[in-house]
Amino acid sequence: MDTIASLFSFITTPVSWVIVQFHTLFGAIFGPNTGWAWGLSIVSLVVLIRICLVPLFVKQIKATRAMQTLQPEMKKIQERYKNDKQRQSEEMMKLYKESGTNPLSSCLPILAQSPFFFALYHVLSGIANGKTIGVIDQPLLQSAQKAHIFGAPLAAKFMDSQDKVAALGASLTDVRVVTAIMILLMSFSQFYTQRQLMMKNVDTTVKTPFMQQQKMLMYVFPVIFAVFGINFPVGVLVYWLTTNVWTMGQQMYVIHNNPTPGSKAQAAYLERLYKHVTHHRKTRNRREKAIVKAIVAKGRERNEYERKFINGLSKSGLAAQADGSVVLSENATAVVTADGEEDTTTTAGTPKRQQPKRQSKSQRHHTGAQANPKANQSQGRSRAGQSAAQPSLKKDGGDDTQSGKSEDKSGGKSTPASGNARQAKSGPRKGGPQRPKHPSKK
């Protein structure tokens, strides 16, 4: 570790200068030789570095999400060229180039702060060995050696001997208890940060090897930190614990306000956004407009949570616009898309065309009767006239008029003068005048 730290000796002077400036500030409050003054100086160094690395963190988020979207294509390439590793690598690089992504972008924050980490380790090792380094002169060196954090010197390690710890003015028990607690907190914070990323901010609709790798790292990284942590000075443990806590808080902020599409965090965020928008009847700030604008622009490519959000706005009498705003719209109607879900993004004032509902036969008859009562009355009178014009039947089954049938001389049987024999056999007709029965079927 000392050999690696010496490689970054060129940055020890800037790091030591920043620590001294913060020490001057906190030393005036807590005292120059206290652990609070030197410990808060290291914490302030971490905060300053992480603020400078925020643009890289944003780039890391974008790169990670881009890699998640490329996982299905990467899996296809691996299966297609599983026997040709060279062709597989070429196709991977081509895919990265076309999509504009870089796998190393997700590691940028860690790589960027590594020089500061090793420079701080180099500074604290010099303090433990009683050597001036950077802008830390002899008086500051003596002050740093006297500083203790909960009884443990800044330069002490978990694996130090009793004599070395005694030379720093502390007991071995205090040093090991404090360093063990800090190592556990450092490992737990690393585990929790990775776990909330996997459990809440990963698109659960896409099952890829990338997710399995992240899940494995969730358990591997804490173990690595615990193994290397026993060789870190207390000051370095303060640095690394602070940066882990910062990363955890930063990750929680991103998950809460800018979650990954398709993740559980997005479902919770859109639910909160729906309540705010329906309560205020509009999007309140630029960030909410950007989220709504992105959802509207997806169209039919929206995921389940985004479709639920848009449909909820429509049911509340609101319509999401292409610019991200939300307006009142009584004409917003739900339309079933090809995948079976409803899509209700409409422009205010332009209602969608709806197919009329199909009515039953009795409803159509009732509607027609109400629409044209005069026609129904005339139809009834005509039916009554037809019924009156029909010949009345005698008791023996014959007609009282002789015009409707003829007498056969040979058999004396009467036959109908007109009509179809098939219709006569079919029986009385429904809803109309009845045809007289033949005397033989009396």
Side-chain angles (χ1 to χ4, degrees), residues 255-257 259 263-280 284 287-288 291-292 295 303-310 312-313 316:
I255 291 174
H256 188 269
N257 295 285
S263 62
K264 295 181 180 179
Q266 189 196 30
Y269 176 78
L270 291 180
E271 185 177 355
R272 295 193 305 269
L273 181 60
Y274 170 75
K275 293 180 180 178
H276 294 163
V277 172
T278 53
H279 177 72
H280 296 279
R284 298 175 298 170
R287 180 171 54 84
E288 291 184 354
I291 295 294
V292 175
I295 294 176
N303 56 47
E304 176 186 357
Y305 309 127
E306 293 167 345
R307 288 194 294 266
K308 183 178 179 181
F309 172 74
I310 294 296
L313 292 180
S316 300

Side-chain angles (χ1 to χ4, degrees), residues 161-341:
S161 62
Q162 178 69 38
D163 297 337
K164 191 172 183 179
V165 173
L168 296 173
S171 66
L172 184 61
T173 304
D174 293 340
V175 171
R176 291 190 173 180
V177 169
V178 171
T179 52
I181 293 175
M182 296 183 71
I183 290 172
L184 290 176
L185 292 176
M186 184 177 64
S187 300
F188 174 76
S189 59
Q190 178 68 34
F191 173 78
Y192 184 79
T193 301
Q194 192 70 18
R195 187 178 186 277
Q196 72 173 350
L197 179 65
M198 290 297 302
M199 297 294 104
K200 297 181 180 180
N201 206 37
V202 173
D203 188 358
T204 56
T205 60
V206 181
K207 304 295 183 182
T208 61
F210 179 77
M211 294 178 61
Q212 299 298 327
Q213 295 174 3
Q214 294 295 318
K215 188 175 181 179
M216 181 181 64
L217 293 177
M218 179 174 65
Y219 297 99
V220 172
F221 272 162
V223 176
I224 293 175
F225 276 97
V227 172
F228 284 96
I230 60 177
N231 294 313
F232 289 165
V234 173
V236 174
L237 292 177
V238 171
Y239 175 92
W240 207 252
L241 178 60
T242 305
T243 193
N244 279 0
V245 173
W246 177 281
T247 303
M248 182 173 61
Q250 193 171 241
Q251 189 72 51
M252 291 176 65
Y253 176 82
V254 172
I255 291 174
H256 188 269
N257 295 285
N258 190 18
T260 301
S263 62
K264 295 181 180 179
Q266 189 196 30
Y269 176 78
L270 291 180
E271 185 177 355
R272 295 193 305 269
L273 181 60
Y274 170 75
K275 293 180 180 178
H276 294 163
V277 172
T278 53
H279 177 72
H280 296 279
R281 316 300 287 180
K282 63 179 181 179
T283 49
R284 298 175 298 170
N285 50 47
R286 186 179 300 177
R287 180 171 54 84
E288 291 184 354
K289 286 186 177 181
I291 295 294
V292 175
K293 181 179 179 181
I295 294 176
V296 173
K298 288 184 178 181
R300 294 180 179 270
E301 297 181 358
R302 303 185 192 108
N303 56 47
E304 176 186 357
Y305 309 127
E306 293 167 345
R307 288 194 294 266
K308 183 178 179 181
F309 172 74
I310 294 296
N311 293 334
L313 292 180
S314 176
K315 293 178 182 178
S316 300
L318 301 173
Q321 304 299 297
D323 60 351
S325 61
V326 175
V327 297
L328 296 175
S329 176
E330 298 179 356
N331 298 322
T333 57
V335 177
V336 179
T337 59
D339 55 358
E341 298 290 339

Side-chain angles (χ1 to χ4, degrees), residues 378-399:
S378 60
Q379 186 177 3
R381 287 194 298 269
S382 62
R383 287 180 179 177
Q386 292 177 1
S387 300
Q390 293 295 329
S392 58
L393 297 177
K394 294 182 180 180
K395 292 182 180 180
D396 57 355
D399 296 344

